[in-house]
Amino acid sequence: MRLGLVVNNNGAPAVEAVRRMPVLAEEAGYESVWVTDHVVGVRSFQPVYGATWMEPMMALAWMAAATSRIRLGVGVLVVPYRDPVLTAKMIATLDQLSGGRVDLGIGTGWARSEYHALGRGDLFGERGAVTDESIEVMLRCWQGGEFGFEGKYFRFRSLQFDPVPVQRPRVPLWIGSRTGQRAPMRRVAKYADVWHPTGLSPEE
C-alpha cells in the first residue's frame, strides 16, 4: 500500500503546512504529498473552506525544492481556470526541477463564482468540454517540438514547446470524478492513468 498525505494549503496554517509538512512526510515514509486547487475565497465555499489559499503550482515548486524523493501531486487542478499551454509549461518545468516526481490531478471545478473571479465565467457552462480540449493541448505540448492546434476553445498556428516532462510519455494523469457522472467517467476512461474519485464509501 502506498500512502499519500494531503497538505493543507488552505486557511491560517497553510504557509507553515506547505513549508514543513512535505519534509516531515518524506522523513516518515509517505509516498506522496498533495495540495488542493482553489485560488480565492468565495461565499459558496463557506463553511467548508476559508478565504486563504496557497496557489498549488507555486506550493508544489516549494515542496520540490525542499524534498528529494516524495512524489508531488495536485488533486485536483481545475484545468479551465488556466490556459492549457501555460499549464503544460508549468507542469513540465516542475517535473524537470523535481526529477520526475509530479502527479497531475485534473478536474473541472464546481464554483461558478470562482470562475467569474478569475475572468473565466464564460467557460463555466462548457467546463467539461474545455477540460477535455485542454488535456489534448497539454498532451501535445508534452510531446515537444513544433505544432499547431485547431479546436473550439484553443487555436494557434505554430509554437515550439520545450522542455518536456522528465516522465515519459507524460506526467501521470489522475482524473477526478464520482461514479454515476457519465461525462467525467468518459474522461477517466479516455485519459486517466489513475481514477481519482471523491466522496465514496468503502463499499463503493
Side-chain angles (χ1 to χ4, degrees):
M1 181 181 293
R2 294 177 295 175
L3 297 178
L5 178 70
V6 176
V7 175
N8 188 0
N9 59 315
N10 167 247
V15 174
E16 283 305 304
V18 168
R19 283 176 175 165
R20 300 183 59 203
M21 291 304 296
V23 174
L24 295 175
E26 185 170 78
E27 291 173 351
Y30 282 89
E31 193 262 347
S32 58
V33 284
W34 296 79
V35 293
T36 303
D37 184 22
H38 285 293
V39 182
V40 295
V42 294
R43 289 181 180 175
S44 57
F45 292 173
Q46 299 172 358
V48 178
Y49 298 128
T52 302
W53 286 96
M54 302 288 285
E55 199 284 320
M57 299 309 301
M58 294 294 292
L60 290 177
W62 174 277
M63 295 177 181
T67 59
S68 60
R69 301 182 309 278
I70 201 164
R71 293 194 64 81
L72 310 161
V74 53
V76 293
L77 194 74
V78 181
V79 169
Y81 285 176
R82 301 166 178 85
D83 175 83
V85 174
L86 179 58
T87 301
K89 175 64 68 172
M90 295 166 71
I91 296 295
T93 300
L94 181 60
D95 204 56
Q96 283 281 343
L97 293 175
S98 68
R101 292 189 281 143
V102 176
D103 290 312
L104 177 60
I106 286 177
T108 62
W110 54 268
R112 183 189 296 268
S113 53
E114 192 169 23
Y115 268 82
H116 282 290
L118 296 170
R120 314 283 278 186
D122 58 328
L123 299 179
F124 183 80
E126 299 180 77
R127 63 193 183 280
V130 173
T131 298
D132 290 344
E133 191 169 298
S134 295
I135 293 172
E136 293 287 349
V137 173
M138 292 190 292
L139 292 176
R140 181 58 189 88
C141 285
W142 292 333
Q143 293 177 33
E146 184 173 345
F147 68 99
F149 188 89
E150 186 70 26
K152 179 179 179 181
Y153 306 99
F154 308 103
R155 56 186 64 89
F156 42 85
R157 286 187 177 182
S158 180
L159 60 79
Q160 293 179 314
F161 193 95
D162 193 60
V164 298
V166 172
Q167 299 177 91
R168 306 305 295 156
R170 65 186 190 201
V171 300
L173 299 183
W174 296 53
I175 308 293
S177 76
R178 292 189 175 99
T179 55
Q181 295 181 315
R182 295 179 63 184
M185 289 305 293
R186 285 196 298 268
R187 187 175 305 116
V188 170
K190 184 174 182 179
Y191 297 111
D193 298 292
V194 181
W195 177 37
H196 189 37
T198 182
L200 299 184
S201 68
E203 292 77 17
E204 290 171 311

